[in-house]
Amino acid sequence: MATYLYRLGKTAYRRWPFFLAAWVVLIAAMVGFAIGFSKPTSDAFTIPGIPSEEAADIQAELFPDSKNAFDQATVFVVVAAPKGDRIDDPRYSGAIETLVDDITELPQVPAALASKEGKAGLNPINALKAGVPDGAAANFYPVTKDGRIGVITFDFDVETVTDVKPATQDDLEEVMAKAAKSGLEVEANGQGMANTEQPSGTAELIGIALALLVLILTFGSLAAAGLPILGALVGLAIGILGILGSSAFFNIDSSTPTLAGMIGLAVGIDYSLFILARYRAELEHTEDREEAVGIAVGTAGSAVVFAGLTVLIALSALAVVRIPFLTTMGLAASATVFVAVLVALTFLPAMLGLLKSKAFGGRVRRYTPRRETDGKILNNGVRWARLVGRHPVAAVLLVVVALGALALPIKDLYLAFPSDATAPSSTTQRQASDLIRDGFGPGREAPLSVVVDARELAQADRPAAYQQVVAWAEKQPGVLAATDVAALQPTPADPTAGGTNVIVIPEYGPDDPRTKDLLLELRKHESSLEKSTGTDIGITGLTAITTDVSDRLNGALAPYLAVVIGLAFLLLIVVFRSILVPLTATIGFLFSVLATLGATVLFFQKGTFGFMEGQPVVSFIPIFIIGVVFGLAMDYQVFLVTRMREAHVHGASPYEAVVDGFRGSARVVTAAAVIMTAVFAGFMLEDDAVIKSFGFALATAVVLDAFVVRMVLIPALMYLMGEKAWWIPAWLDRILPDVDVEGEKLERPAHKPEHLETNEYLERTGHH
């Protein structure tokens, strides 16, 4: 492989106009693809075959006009009078009536609501005048018993939630603010108020700015610092445009482009950084820039290829768990990583061919490395490696204890999907949720829909069956109230429908584990109830669907880990031709991911130290984080340990091989890790709970894996293993393909074993 990549790098350098033109054409083609084919994204976290989806399918058969739970753009506008007052007081009733009028005039609101009857149905004061019923029925009423809190409920006239325009939501908030001037508290939530705007790009800009600063400090050159950024932006543009265009053929979740962009940007900068750093190092040995590019792409490029492969394996393997939206996320992120590898291998050498001696221009800091008596560079990487080498056992124990302690909070991990009840307390969604909980109880926001299919029964027998289901649901522990949805409709139910929905209000909220327990308990009795009523029964609704998805995700974790670790372990055996090195890499990954999840529970879920408001961890984050962290962890492992193996292959002792690996890679791995941390941490500024938690978890994972595991644990273990680190059974060594990641087979006629004089090196790197 090194020989092939060596030739590719030299060709890209020599024929740079052709390669750069090809990338420009590709970008133009992807722009056309995205413009011509892109469709709106979706937030339907659904999985075919789960019980709630099967129930939803039956519901769609019974009521063809009904929408998927994720497509209903429902809005709950909550109006609350000050404590001790009622919303039908004259000083508030006029404001509420005006609010209803204003709502019906908003864009994307059904025209039917503008009628006299439509407005009357929206106004909670009319329900208050009619009298709040006693008993369980009060739990379904749009106004509280004391008359203090009312709810205006409507659906935007759109096909899916993502069709709701942000301008429409802004208009609604304006009319709400006008009503609030009367002294009312007016807030709104529901899926119709979900954030449909794409991220502003601020996070990416912050990450790029910090990455640029790190690169300037690393290379001491403005031109060199800009090259990895430019390459990453090219890869990012192609990846995101491709994802948007693919939305014509696949259901793309709204978070997918952002997550793929987050990963693509980080690895895109890092991969180009590794090759560029190796190119600068090669200029110390040769005057031929084309040769230096070839050697850099042949050696560091080989490491980039295998590092990228581990990320591709980890992300693509998400398809194994058979969860459509997660598969899409994984494949989309894989595509951006694949493009990032191609950019590093071809676009960067072509840019070096374009710039030639100006590649390290714009000097802001003179690079004058200190050297040891044998001429080798003495840098902080060498000093650190020798420090760890003096006390390797203590280093191992310190890492194990520290990461083990950080992993302890995993025992309290609670997975759920984001909801209005877990939104930041400053948002109108959360404030509306708090009002609903105060007035109606937390279960009002976690309704379960029991679908009753009575098509096998005679029409005359159906009402009794429906009432039997209602009575059964009402007496279950944890159920606050239950009713046939037909009782809530202003018009009589269609007798030919063949079924109904029984709405069940739990005593607990959507983010409460007891709601999940209630759902499981209700399902235990489904079969016996079906026999006694002669109907088919299923439970669906947003709460049921998200609970089922969470359960499927948890069940998929073990097989996913087995596939990812198994495939990557085999790949690393091929790369390192060793058994123990891949094993220690995998063990280090497990420490990293467990500590990352523990830190996520501690700071994100529990809100320790007040860094962020506590909320459940989004259900699919652990499995996605495991995939991403494994890929990134193997990146650092490959870049550090391939330099160690390269030194060992060329005759260095095990101790000196570790030191030499840190001499050549520690500085650049540190820079890469800082860049990744900056890119990921920038996404913590986004409002979206999914993006925010991903940013936090990924930034934490990079810090722990790069600076604790790869910089402390791995070198300490390599010291302790000594020569045994590179042991491999003879029979396995014979059958493994020789990929030559270290570039051992490369002919380097211009490569001189002795170092150049400092002034000559500075001249070649554009510092004189």
Side-chain angles (χ1 to χ4, degrees):
M1 172 171 288
T3 303
Y4 171 77
L5 292 178
Y6 166 81
R7 293 170 183 165
L8 176 63
K10 292 185 68 172
T11 303
Y13 181 91
R14 187 172 59 255
R15 300 184 178 178
W16 61 266
F18 173 79
F19 279 83
L20 293 181
W23 280 106
V24 171
V25 170
L26 180 58
I27 292 174
M30 297 309 294
V31 169
F33 178 59
I35 293 175
F37 293 93
S38 63
K39 292 184 177 179
T41 56
S42 167
D43 278 321
F45 300 115
T46 58
I47 303 175
I50 58 177
S52 52
E53 279 294 299
E54 293 174 349
D57 292 340
I58 296 174
Q59 180 177 275
E61 293 176 10
L62 294 172
F63 310 103
D65 293 335
S66 64
K67 285 187 176 182
N68 181 288
F70 285 99
D71 291 333
Q72 293 177 330
T74 305
V75 178
F76 303 101
V77 178
V78 186
V79 291
K83 290 185 178 181
D85 292 345
R86 293 164 56 94
I87 60 173
D88 56 355
D89 287 353
R91 51 185 160 169
Y92 308 126
S93 58
I96 293 175
E97 185 173 346
T98 301
L99 174 61
V100 170
D101 290 340
D102 290 341
I103 287 174
T104 60
E105 294 175 2
L106 293 175
Q108 298 188 293
V109 171
L113 293 181
S115 66
K116 182 178 180 181
E117 295 78 11
K119 292 180 180 180
L122 289 178
N123 197 330
I125 295 176
N126 293 329
L128 189 58
K129 290 178 180 177
V132 180
D134 295 325
N139 294 287
F140 301 93
Y141 222 57
V143 67
T144 55
K145 189 76 173 178
D146 60 3
R148 177 177 168 257
I149 301 175
V151 181
I152 302 170
T153 305
F154 64 93
D155 289 353
F156 284 120
D157 188 15
V158 293
E159 287 295 322
T160 66
V161 171
T162 53
D163 293 332
V164 179
K165 297 177 181 177
T168 300
Q169 297 171 332
D170 293 340
D171 291 343
L172 175 58
E173 292 186 2
E174 285 182 11
V175 300
M176 289 162 49
K178 185 171 73 172
K181 293 179 180 178
S182 66
L184 288 168
E185 187 174 355
V186 186
E187 307 293 347
N189 65 7
Q191 289 201 119
M193 291 300 291
N195 182 17
T196 58
E197 287 187 292
Q198 291 297 321
S200 62
T202 303
E204 287 93 338
L205 292 176
I206 292 174
I208 290 172
L210 292 174
L212 183 60
L213 177 61
V214 173
L215 290 168
I216 290 173
L217 293 175
T218 301
F219 291 110
S221 161
L222 295 176
L227 285 174
I229 300 291
L230 178 60
L233 291 176
V234 169
L236 180 65
I238 292 172
I240 297 301
L241 290 170
I243 292 169
L244 295 178
S246 299
S247 62
F249 312 102
F250 308 100
N251 289 326
I252 303 293
D253 174 75
S254 61
S255 301
T256 296
T258 304
L259 295 176
M262 183 193 310
I263 295 167
L265 180 63
V267 300
I269 295 173
D270 281 6
Y271 291 166
S272 293
L273 164 62
F274 283 116
I275 293 177
L276 185 60
R278 185 60 184 259
Y279 170 64
R280 184 176 70 169
E282 289 301 319
L283 288 177
E284 186 176 354
H285 303 287
T286 178
E287 299 177 1
D288 187 342
R289 295 182 185 278
E290 181 181 327
E291 178 71 13
V293 168
I295 296 295
V297 175
T299 53
S302 295
V304 164
V305 168
F306 281 96
L309 276 176
T310 59
V311 180
L312 290 176
I313 288 172
L315 294 174
S316 300
L318 288 168
V320 173
V321 302
R322 296 180 296 109
I323 299 175
F325 71 86
L326 203 56
T327 299
T328 303
M329 283 185 179
L331 293 178
S334 296
T336 61
V337 172
F338 179 73
V339 174
V341 172
L342 293 181
V343 167
L345 296 178
T346 60
F347 179 81
L348 176 64
M351 287 299 301
L352 292 175
L354 169 65
L355 296 175
K356 295 184 174 60
S357 62
K358 296 182 177 62
F360 293 94
R363 182 175 58 84
V364 296
R365 183 176 60 83
R366 185 184 298 274
Y367 178 62
T368 53
R370 294 185 61 186
R371 297 183 181 276
E372 299 187 280
T373 55
D374 60 358
K376 292 182 178 180
I377 292 175
L378 175 63
N379 55 26
N380 289 330
V382 172
R383 297 185 183 96
W384 177 256
R386 289 172 177 168
L387 175 64
V388 174
R390 284 198 285 270
H391 306 285
V393 174
V396 171
L397 292 176
L398 180 63
V399 170
V400 170
V401 171
L403 295 185
L406 194 55
L408 286 177
I410 288 181
K411 67 182 187 303
D412 299 321
L413 176 66
Y414 175 54
L415 302 177
F417 276 81
S419 67
D420 293 328
T422 60
S425 58
S426 60
T427 62
T428 186
Q429 289 89 343
R430 173 63 175 273
Q431 292 169 13
S433 177
D434 291 343
L435 288 172
I436 290 174
R437 285 177 175 233
D438 291 344
F440 302 95
R444 182 69 172 260
E445 293 193 299
L448 300 172
S449 178
V450 181
V451 181
V452 184
D453 183 358
R455 285 175 289 187
E456 298 296 322
L457 291 179
Q459 282 194 20
D461 297 332
R462 292 174 185 173
Y466 301 157
Q467 288 306 309
Q468 186 176 345
V469 174
V470 172
W472 161 78
E474 284 183 323
K475 68 181 182 182
Q476 300 303 315
V479 172
L480 188 63
T483 187
D484 187 338
V485 72
L488 303 176
Q489 304 297 331
T491 57
D494 182 2
T496 64
T500 192
N501 286 328
V502 173
I503 305 300
V504 176
I505 303 295
E507 294 180 359
Y508 325 109
D511 55 331
D512 194 315
R514 291 173 294 181
T515 303
K516 173 184 175 180
D517 296 337
L518 171 62
L519 174 62
L520 297 176
E521 189 64 29
L522 291 175
R523 283 178 172 159
K524 284 183 182 178
H525 301 286
E526 276 184 15
S527 57
S528 60
L529 186 63
E530 288 174 336
K531 290 179 181 178
S532 63
T533 59
T535 63
D536 288 329
I537 293 173
I539 303 176
T540 187
L542 273 179
T543 302
I545 292 173
T546 54
T547 299
D548 288 345
V549 171
S550 296
D551 288 344
R552 175 68 69 86
L553 286 166
N554 290 337
L557 197 55
Y560 173 69
L561 265 176
V563 170
V564 169
I565 292 177
L567 289 176
F569 185 78
L570 293 176
L571 179 65
L572 291 177
I573 289 178
V574 173
V575 174
F576 295 123
R577 307 192 79 79
S578 162
I579 299 296
L580 293 179
V581 170
L583 182 61
T584 57
T586 304
I587 292 172
F589 152 72
L590 291 175
F591 276 113
S592 296
V593 77
L594 291 175
T596 295
L597 292 176
T600 302
V601 171
L602 187 65
F603 296 108
F604 192 84
Q605 179 181 312
K606 295 185 176 182
T608 304
F609 303 133
F611 289 138
M612 54 192 71
E613 293 187 40
Q615 56 181 291
V617 178
V618 181
S619 296
F620 58 84
I621 278 185
I623 194 168
F624 198 87
I625 287 295
I626 285 172
V628 175
V629 171
F630 188 83
L632 299 182
M634 295 306 104
D635 276 5
Y636 300 129
Q637 180 78 11
V638 168
F639 288 124
L640 272 174
V641 182
T642 49
R643 291 302 293 265
M644 296 180 194
R645 176 167 171 77
E646 184 175 348
H648 183 263
V649 165
H650 288 89
S653 68
Y655 180 89
E656 283 303 320
V658 175
V659 174
D660 209 57
F662 270 71
R663 175 183 287 111
S665 292
R667 179 183 178 88
V668 72
V669 166
T670 299
V674 171
I675 289 170
M676 275 205 178
T677 303
V679 171
F680 293 148
F683 285 86
M684 292 169 59
L685 302 177
E686 297 288 349
D687 293 330
D688 187 278
V690 175
I691 302 301
K692 185 189 293 287
S693 53
F694 262 112
F696 174 82
L698 287 174
T700 302
V702 170
V703 169
L704 295 178
D705 193 85
F707 297 115
V708 179
V709 172
R710 307 302 151 186
M711 292 291 184
V712 182
L713 180 63
I714 293 302
L717 290 174
M718 294 292 289
Y719 284 130
L720 293 174
M721 291 186 294
E723 192 67 39
K724 294 178 182 177
W726 306 110
W727 173 82
I728 187 171
W731 63 267
L732 182 58
D733 188 47
R734 285 193 300 269
I735 64 175
L736 286 178
D738 186 1
V739 295
D740 189 24
V741 176
E742 304 82 15
E744 184 181 4
K745 296 179 180 178
L746 292 179
E747 295 183 5
R748 309 185 191 184
H751 193 286
K752 295 188 293 185
E754 69 278 5
H755 72 278
L756 298 173
E757 292 299 325
T758 300
N759 288 340
E760 185 179 350
Y761 172 72
L762 293 175
E763 181 69 31
R764 292 183 188 172
T765 56
H767 288 73
H768 268 7

